[in-house]
Amino acid sequence: MDVVNQLVATGQFTIIKQPLGFMKILQWIFAIFAFSTCGSYSGMFKMSVECKNRSESDLSIEVEFEYPFRLHQVYFDAPTCKGGAPERLFLIGNYSSSAEFFVTIGVFSFLYSMAALSVYVFILEKYREGCKGAQIDFAVTCVFTFFWLVASSAWAKGLSDVKAATDPDKVILLIEACDEPENRCREIHEPVVSGLNTSVAFGFLNLVLWAGNLWFVFKETGWLAAFGGTYAPSQEKAPAPESFGQDGYGQEGYAQQGDAYAGTQGGYQPDYGQGGYTEGDYQQGGYEQQPTSYSNQM
């Protein structure tokens, strides 16, 4: 009892109010409805064969069948209306593969939904740590979505065949005595297959639930952030482009320019004492400077 109280105390039951946990509860419930309505089914139909000789007639022929619908093993006895022993006839068809596959998917969906819901409630931190748990959950959800599509479609087709194989009007055609016009054959009771119809509806409803839950599980995987460009796997800074290190724009270039300006002692100070203006400089290249004197002109 203490263990139960501890689990309840540490559980994060608020996840049930969120779409991720709420969808798992719905999957868990509807999986039970799906496999139980199919796996627990049993049906029966009745026919009557009224012979010309009333003493040989059988007015209540009951034929019972059930899951997993191996109808080729279901038999009934019908009168021959010829004074002999009744003949034993078998129904046609074996539809156990689609029915059993449907029930199997329902059971495994029930078990996985219960396990995933337990993880959400009690170890949600580990589930979200590194996104590994969410990614596994997303992959399993994709698999179950595909299996529900296949199982529901296959069982819908199988149910259609079961209805045709258990239709009393068609089963009567198997009775040889009904081929004679003086004998009268008719159905008394048709099989009730509303439970099987419900199982198909629950199957496709499970398909919708699992497909819809893909989005909520996908948001927990971290892939959405990676696709959007906001996922940062590393905290290291990206290196500067190489172009900034060329043509004097790098750190070395700035250092050299800084040294050059520092040598001028903080400003532009031309040296007028070196390489300055002299009269001899104007005599180079055949050009001679003639100074002008106002006193000579006078």
Side-chain angles (χ1 to χ4, degrees):
M1 191 66 182
D2 295 336
V3 176
V4 176
N5 294 333
Q6 185 177 2
L7 289 175
V8 173
T10 58
Q12 301 181 13
F13 293 95
T14 56
I15 192 67
I16 298 177
K17 300 179 180 180
Q18 302 177 13
L20 184 66
F22 185 71
M23 291 290 287
K24 273 293 180 287
I25 294 179
L26 294 180
Q27 291 171 357
W28 180 66
I29 295 175
F30 284 98
I32 297 176
F33 291 158
F35 73 78
S36 62
T37 52
C38 179
S40 62
Y41 177 83
S42 62
M44 181 269 297
F45 62 92
K46 289 184 179 182
M47 304 174 296
S48 68
V49 178
E50 186 176 352
C51 301
K52 184 178 180 180
N53 185 1
R54 298 297 179 85
S55 60
E56 299 177 356
S57 301
D58 190 346
L59 303 180
S60 180
I61 301 175
E62 294 186 1
V63 182
E64 296 181 354
F65 62 98
E66 61 184 3
Y67 173 85
F69 308 105
R70 296 187 177 94
L71 301 183
H72 66 290
Q73 298 178 356
V74 178
Y75 61 88
F76 62 96
D77 296 330
T80 59
C81 297
K82 295 181 180 179
E87 62 177 343
R88 175 159 292 181
L89 301 173
F90 290 83
L91 299 181
I92 299 175
N94 181 11
Y95 310 102
S96 60
S97 59
S98 59
E100 289 176 341
F101 181 65
F102 181 82
V103 171
T104 301
I105 296 301
V107 172
F108 278 102
S109 297
F110 161 76
L111 295 176
Y112 179 76
S113 299
M114 183 170 57
L117 189 60
S118 301
V119 171
Y120 295 165
V121 172
F122 298 109
I123 52 175
L124 184 61
E125 293 81 5
K126 294 183 178 180
Y127 171 82
R128 289 175 172 172
E129 182 178 356
C131 298
K132 294 296 183 181
Q135 292 172 2
I136 296 175
D137 190 15
F138 179 77
V140 176
T141 304
C142 290
V143 172
F144 272 108
T145 301
F146 174 75
F147 280 160
W148 272 117
L149 174 62
V150 175
S152 300
S153 301
W155 173 228
K157 178 61 171 61
L159 177 58
S160 177
D161 296 336
V162 169
K163 291 179 180 179
T166 57
D167 186 0
D169 292 332
K170 295 183 178 180
V171 175
I172 286 175
L173 300 178
L174 301 176
I175 303 175
E176 183 178 356
C178 296
D179 296 335
E180 301 297 331
E182 62 270 13
N183 300 325
R184 181 184 177 187
C185 301
R186 62 186 181 89
E187 69 173 72
I188 299 177
H189 185 270
E190 291 183 349
V192 179
V193 293
S194 58
L196 297 180
N197 293 331
T198 305
S199 67
V200 173
F202 279 126
F204 284 104
L205 185 56
N206 275 280
L207 170 62
V208 173
L209 288 175
W210 284 86
N213 194 37
L214 285 174
W215 169 247
F216 301 109
V217 180
F218 178 75
K219 292 194 298 183
E220 299 290 335
T221 60
W223 293 334
L224 185 63
F227 293 154
T230 59
Y231 179 68
S234 176
Q235 298 297 329
E236 297 180 358
K237 295 182 179 179
E242 296 181 357
S243 60
F244 287 96
Q246 300 176 358
D247 298 331
Y249 288 97
Q251 296 179 357
E252 296 180 359
Y254 283 110
Q256 294 175 359
Q257 294 181 4
D259 293 340
Y261 283 105
T264 61
Q265 299 181 357
Y268 174 71
Q269 299 177 0
D271 188 0
Y272 294 99
Q274 298 179 359
Y277 168 78
T278 59
E279 294 182 356
D281 293 338
Y282 290 95
Q283 295 179 359
Q284 299 177 359
Y287 178 77
E288 182 177 356
Q289 177 69 24
Q290 297 294 334
T292 304
S293 175
Y294 287 100
S295 61
N296 293 336
Q297 292 179 2
M298 294 296 292

